[in-house]
Amino acid sequence: MGYGANVADAYHQAGIYTGRILKGEKPADLPVQAPTKYELVLNLKTAKALGLEVPPMLLARADEVIE
C-alpha cells in the first residue's frame, strides 16, 4: 500500500511554476508549493503473499489496485 502525492499533478504544478518564472516573476516572491492531489495505491498480489486481507472499504477508496 502506498499513499502519496500524485506524480502527474506534481509535474503539472511544476510546469505552471516554471511558466510564472519565465514570464518574469521572481522566484523569491512565489509561494511554496505543496501537493494538491494524493493517491492511494494497493498491491493485492503482495498483500496475498504476506497473508494480509484487504478490507473491501479500503479497496473501494483506492485510486489504483494492482492485482
Side-chain angles (χ1 to χ4, degrees), residues 8-48:
D9 186 56
Y11 285 131
H12 177 74
Q13 293 298 327
I16 292 171
Y17 210 71
T18 303
R20 289 175 67 179
I21 293 169
L22 292 174
K23 288 179 182 176
E25 291 189 52
K26 293 181 182 179
D29 296 337
L30 294 174
V32 174
Q33 296 290 318
T36 56
K37 290 184 182 178
Y38 293 87
E39 63 183 0
L40 174 64
V41 179
L42 299 173
N43 189 326
L44 294 180
K45 183 177 179 181
T46 301
K48 183 178 178 182

